[in-house]
Amino acid sequence: MTVSTLALVAASSAQAQGYDLGTLILTTDRAGNTVLQFPGTVDVIDAERLKSRNISDIEELVRRIPGVTVSRQTTSADPFSTFGGFTIRGVGGNRVAIQVDGSRTPERIIDGTRDYVDLNFTKSVEIVRGPASVLWGADALGGLVAFETLDPEDLLEGRDRGGAVSVGHDSFDTTTSGSFSIAQRFSDQFSVMAGLARESGHEAQLSKARDDGGIYGCPRNLDFGATPCGELDPADHTSTRALAKMVWTPNAAHRLEFSIDALDRQTSVQQDYVLGPVFSSSSGAPTGEVIRDKDRHLDLTRNRYALEHTWSSSGVITEVVSTLAWSDHDYLRTGTELSTSAAGEEIRKKDRLAFSEDFLELDIQARAEFVTGGASHRMVFGLDADRAETDYRRVDRTTNLTTGVTTEARAGGFNFANATTTRADLYVEDRIGLLGDRLEITPGLRFATYRIEPRVDGDYQPVPGKEPGVREEQRLLKSLALTYHLNDSWSVWGKYGEGFKMPTAQQLYTSRPGTFFTLIPAPDLKPEEVKSYELGLRYEDDRGFAGISAFKADYSEFIQSFYNPPGTNDYTYRNISVVNVQGIEASFGRSIGENTQIEVSAAWQEGTQKIDPSAKETPHTLPPFTATFGLAHQFDNPRLRLEGVLTAAADVKDTASDTDFKPKGYSVLDLHAKWEVIDNGFLNLSVNNVFDRRYFTAGAASYGQTASASVARANPIELQTGPGRTFAVSFDMTF
């Protein structure tokens, strides 16, 4: 097994004498195994690592994990610096499942985001590489990212009262943050906790981006005060998160937990890039219109209410966990633009997009342990069901302030039919131990069901022959893992897994006639599927471990966005034939002496795709070979931990098109210090990109080497540069 050395250092920070991965219990395998028992590839980042490295968002979370990326959105359509989601082994977007305490977060729509995650009160993050559909359903086609929040006992640690306080500042986006959490045990049976966090800041500072636009140039109207092409538009953002849990354990057999988790993030952007004369996107000629002001606002909320019951027994069925959860997610985007028309009239345009996706989820999971003949069994099985309501509303109002006339347009943007999606899946996985548990065989099955029913309203404009209809699918997904322990230190493992992903409501039902182009529904899209193969070798002892694994994933019916049928002005979605990805991942961690640890992690991957069986095979764009090298030392007096992490990436050589931009390789050094200035009070200092290197992130490989003036104006490639030298400081204390 290959496991990220992030998990190693997080575990070893509490025990400087050596690595102790046996204490890191996974939630993503549902069986409660430790990291080193997992037959696959998983990265684990705990709260200790989040704090000591001053990690505050999901881009920073994976920035030093080879093979996993998160892209910041910098286009004019999404100026709020949100994130599009995780990319794992070259597969991203909605093909990677994201969960908070086991509950799903929304899938991304074209004019939306997947950035519904806040890292305050996070106990651990697990990143499963490769299909996880057998245990976690259709969304986990390419992987799974699971966030777990604090429980009362994490603050109490056996006491009757405990708490934590944290304050911090990050120069990258001048964010100042603070959080407070407290827990109280009222009896042996009842405890509660509550936490509140607040953050506020401004637009990110891309200090190594060029204001002249680099290879694209900068056709913005700088004389009118437009934002240069190396800067993000001025922005203000605030975020508030509240978490509360109540735990009642009437006896040793039962545990009941009720939790409330609420997030509200607001971002306001002064979209100055657009100021000045307007130019036609087709001819490039001035239209005579002049934009004088444009403001946009995003209010993003996530609320989760959950009731969880755990029943424990000493019988064959050792545990049953039942979770009933309701979570609502809202994305409200508004904007106001003031302009002067070619006729000299004053025009005000207001747009409003309201998107929501709400989930009612029921998860019943059971564990069983028994023996048959010479085989031991550790089985997990259950029901995973949910009902999702997806709603999209778009209204644009234009007021001629000179004449007083107002017009209204509905169903703009990427309008699609609202929908109700229902899933009810059954799954089982059995870890079978043979030869005294030296050989472990783990088969798994999931019967996945899917029903999506459109709810057409008056704003929807159907296309004859492509009217939205009910879609139903069922799949039997299979997995099989084998682990053989050669001795107490060496083991070899292999795994086969399948995944299945249904199209979203937007992919199936987008329909919008336009002046220059038309969005056409694709109600006959086929589900995406994957077959994945992995093979690994690992070594472990009480001072560290080493592991290497190879994988190959074959995706079929991959869905392509915005396909333009030749000879038309139509844009739609379609299935392409295959996408094949393969790669090698390796990691190593070791204690040197009593107080020094070394960690190394690397990932290489390549891929190809074919539009149809007869088409030419072309590259699939993937991150380049990336490696990290970390060295940490713990001083006893003063109680100080110093850490350095060097990240190096190779040149991007192969992309989906020969005309795509190919970022050059780079190396970046980060330094971190953690000083216990008072008992249980820690000062954390970070200097990222110490030598202030200029480099482009992996997401820049999706950009072209050249761009039209309209593209260069709205989406400068320079905004895909990585952060320059930044500083972060925080103080954390438990009591």
Side-chain angles (χ1 to χ4, degrees):
M1 183 190 71
T2 301
V3 59
S4 170
T5 48
L6 292 177
L8 294 173
V9 174
S12 66
S13 61
Q15 298 187 10
Q17 289 77 20
Y19 289 105
D20 184 11
L21 294 184
T23 62
L24 289 177
I25 305 299
L26 296 175
T27 62
T28 47
D29 77 334
R30 288 190 180 266
N33 291 310
T34 65
V35 173
L36 289 175
Q37 293 174 325
F38 183 75
T41 308
V42 60
D43 304 272
V44 182
I45 308 99
D46 72 352
E48 169 67 22
R49 174 50 53 90
L50 296 176
K51 294 176 180 177
S52 65
R53 287 191 175 180
N54 290 295
I55 296 173
S56 59
D57 59 48
I58 60 174
E59 181 186 38
E60 186 68 19
L61 177 72
V62 303
R63 192 163 60 93
R64 302 298 177 247
I65 302 181
V68 183
T69 60
V70 168
S71 296
R72 182 180 297 271
Q73 307 302 309
T74 62
T75 68
S76 60
D78 185 1
F80 305 105
S81 285
T82 62
F83 304 109
F86 294 85
T87 297
I88 301 175
R89 294 178 174 176
V91 176
N94 296 328
R95 301 180 182 103
V96 173
I98 302 176
Q99 299 176 351
V100 179
D101 286 337
S103 289
R104 299 172 56 213
T105 63
E107 296 186 313
R108 183 178 185 268
I109 60 173
I110 294 298
D111 40 358
T113 182
R114 295 204 78 188
D115 190 12
Y116 291 85
V117 176
D118 179 277
L119 294 182
N120 288 290
F121 314 125
T122 297
K123 176 166 57 178
S124 68
V125 185
E126 297 177 20
I127 302 174
V128 179
R129 307 193 191 200
S133 291
V134 167
L135 289 180
W136 293 104
D139 295 345
L141 186 79
L144 167 69
V145 182
F147 297 82
E148 289 291 318
T149 61
L150 293 173
D151 290 316
E153 191 54 43
D154 297 312
L155 296 171
L156 294 172
E157 296 182 331
R159 302 167 296 174
D160 288 336
R161 180 179 298 156
V165 63
S166 176
V167 293
H169 182 78
D170 192 331
S171 70
F172 178 53
D173 54 4
T174 60
T175 290
T176 299
S177 60
S179 67
F180 177 80
S181 54
I182 190 168
Q184 176 71 48
R185 191 191 314 277
F186 292 97
S187 68
D188 291 341
Q189 290 80 35
F190 185 66
S191 60
V192 300
M193 69 156 286
L196 182 66
R198 176 79 169 179
E199 298 179 356
S200 62
H202 304 283
E203 71 277 6
Q205 302 296 316
L206 301 173
S207 58
K208 304 309 293 183
R210 295 175 179 170
D211 286 346
D212 63 5
I215 60 173
Y216 282 7
C218 188
R220 292 179 172 179
N221 302 306
L222 302 182
D223 293 341
F224 284 79
T227 304
C229 291
E231 299 178 16
L232 295 167
D233 282 318
D236 299 300
H237 63 83
T238 60
S239 178
T240 304
R241 186 183 187 186
L243 177 68
K245 294 187 178 182
M246 295 184 293
V247 177
W248 180 43
T249 53
N251 52 53
H254 296 275
R255 180 184 186 274
L256 192 67
E257 176 185 290
F258 175 69
S259 61
I260 301 174
D261 188 357
L263 171 67
D264 183 9
R265 183 186 301 138
Q266 299 193 24
T267 306
S268 296
V269 178
Q270 181 71 34
Q271 212 163 6
D272 290 343
Y273 93 92
V274 77
L275 296 182
V278 176
F279 298 89
S280 169
S281 59
S282 56
S283 66
T287 63
E289 180 184 4
V290 176
I291 296 178
R292 296 182 285 106
D293 187 66
K294 187 170 186 177
D295 298 314
R296 300 180 77 184
H297 182 82
L298 173 63
D299 188 359
L300 182 147
T301 61
R302 176 179 64 82
N303 299 295
R304 178 181 183 267
Y305 310 89
L307 185 65
E308 179 182 290
H309 175 255
T310 303
W311 173 74
S312 303
S313 170
S314 58
V316 173
I317 297 180
T318 60
E319 182 183 76
V320 178
V321 180
S322 304
T323 305
L324 179 64
W326 166 263
S327 53
D328 58 78
H329 307 80
D330 292 286
Y331 178 96
L332 176 60
R333 193 187 74 203
T334 57
T336 301
E337 178 185 287
L338 298 176
S339 65
T340 303
S341 70
E345 297 173 323
E346 299 298 309
I347 306 296
R348 182 182 66 206
K349 299 177 182 177
K350 288 191 173 184
D351 64 88
R352 185 179 189 273
L353 168 63
F355 169 73
S356 65
E357 192 161 70
D358 304 332
F359 300 101
L360 178 63
E361 299 172 283
L362 175 64
D363 190 294
I364 302 174
Q365 171 187 307
R367 297 179 187 174
E369 295 185 11
F370 55 94
V371 176
T372 57
S376 64
H377 297 262
R378 294 183 60 195
M379 182 179 291
V380 58
F381 57 96
L383 167 70
D384 187 5
D386 65 77
R387 180 182 177 89
E389 300 283 342
T390 304
D391 289 274
Y392 184 102
R393 298 283 188 274
R394 175 71 183 261
V395 179
D396 299 308
R397 291 186 176 90
T398 301
T399 300
N400 187 318
L401 299 176
T402 302
T403 65
V405 176
T406 297
T407 58
E408 180 179 281
R410 305 185 66 87
F414 297 90
N415 188 63
F416 60 92
N418 302 327
T420 299
T421 303
T422 305
R423 301 176 178 88
D425 298 359
L426 298 173
Y427 62 88
V428 60
E429 186 177 82
D430 187 12
R431 186 180 183 127
I432 305 169
L434 300 170
L435 306 177
D437 287 342
R438 288 188 65 184
L439 174 63
E440 295 172 340
I441 304 174
T442 308
L445 290 173
R446 185 183 191 97
F447 180 66
T449 68
Y450 183 100
R451 175 185 171 89
I452 181 167
E453 183 177 358
R455 292 181 283 105
V456 178
D457 59 19
D459 288 344
Y460 188 77
Q461 301 185 43
V463 174
K466 296 184 179 294
E467 293 83 0
V470 175
R471 287 291 303 273
E472 292 186 278
E473 296 283 347
Q474 296 83 36
R475 288 291 189 281
L476 182 64
L477 304 175
K478 303 174 286 297
S479 66
L480 179 64
L482 294 92
T483 302
Y484 185 72
H485 300 275
L486 302 172
N487 52 41
D488 291 341
S489 296
W490 289 94
S491 60
V492 61
W493 62 272
K495 185 177 183 180
Y496 168 78
E498 296 178 351
F500 155 74
K501 175 75 174 69
M502 276 297 295
T504 66
Q506 188 171 66
Q507 291 171 330
L508 290 169
Y509 306 133
T510 295
S511 180
R512 179 202 168 197
T515 304
F516 302 105
F517 64 91
T518 299
L519 299 177
I520 301 297
D524 298 323
L525 283 174
K526 299 177 183 177
E528 298 175 314
E529 301 188 41
V530 64
K531 295 181 179 180
S532 174
Y533 311 85
E534 298 183 66
L535 183 64
L537 175 70
R538 73 172 182 229
Y539 172 86
E540 58 175 293
D541 60 24
D542 59 354
R543 302 196 66 82
F545 97 108
I548 186 169
S549 65
F551 71 88
K552 186 177 188 298
D554 299 328
Y555 294 88
S556 58
E557 307 298 348
F558 224 58
I559 295 176
Q560 179 187 16
S561 301
F562 300 122
Y563 168 63
N564 176 215
T568 73
N569 290 323
D570 297 339
Y571 287 85
T572 188
Y573 297 85
R574 69 166 177 172
N575 293 103
I576 65 176
S577 181
V578 294
V579 172
N580 299 318
V581 181
Q582 59 189 7
I584 299 173
E585 298 162 338
S587 55
F588 167 84
R590 194 76 180 170
S591 287
I592 303 173
E594 295 296 318
N595 297 311
T596 303
Q597 292 89 38
I598 185 174
E599 57 173 289
V600 181
S601 185
W604 167 84
Q605 49 197 348
E606 68 173 10
T608 59
Q609 63 184 35
K610 293 181 69 173
I611 300 299
D612 58 62
S614 62
K616 178 183 177 182
E617 190 174 77
T618 59
H620 180 63
T621 302
L622 293 164
F625 172 79
T626 307
T628 63
F629 175 85
L631 181 66
H633 184 78
Q634 177 74 43
F635 297 89
D636 295 327
N637 190 18
R639 290 170 291 188
L640 175 67
R641 179 182 175 85
L642 298 179
E643 181 186 17
V645 181
L646 177 68
T647 301
D651 297 346
V652 174
K653 296 181 178 180
D654 296 316
T655 55
S657 171
D658 291 337
T659 61
D660 287 340
F661 177 67
K662 297 175 176 58
K664 296 295 183 182
Y666 63 89
S667 59
V668 172
L669 175 66
D670 300 335
L671 297 178
H672 307 280
K674 179 178 181 178
W675 179 25
E676 190 174 4
V677 293
I678 59 175
D679 288 343
N680 299 316
F682 297 89
L683 182 66
N684 305 294
L685 301 172
S686 297
V687 183
N688 293 320
N689 195 354
V690 173
F691 297 108
D692 204 24
R693 301 292 192 191
R694 171 180 161 86
Y695 67 97
F696 282 91
T697 63
S702 63
Y703 284 58
Q705 296 181 25
T706 60
S708 65
S710 61
V711 171
R713 186 180 299 113
N715 192 11
I717 194 172
E718 286 295 308
L719 299 184
Q720 288 296 305
T721 58
R725 185 188 299 114
T726 61
F727 304 87
V729 58
S730 64
F731 177 76
D732 302 303
M733 186 175 69
T734 58
F735 57 89

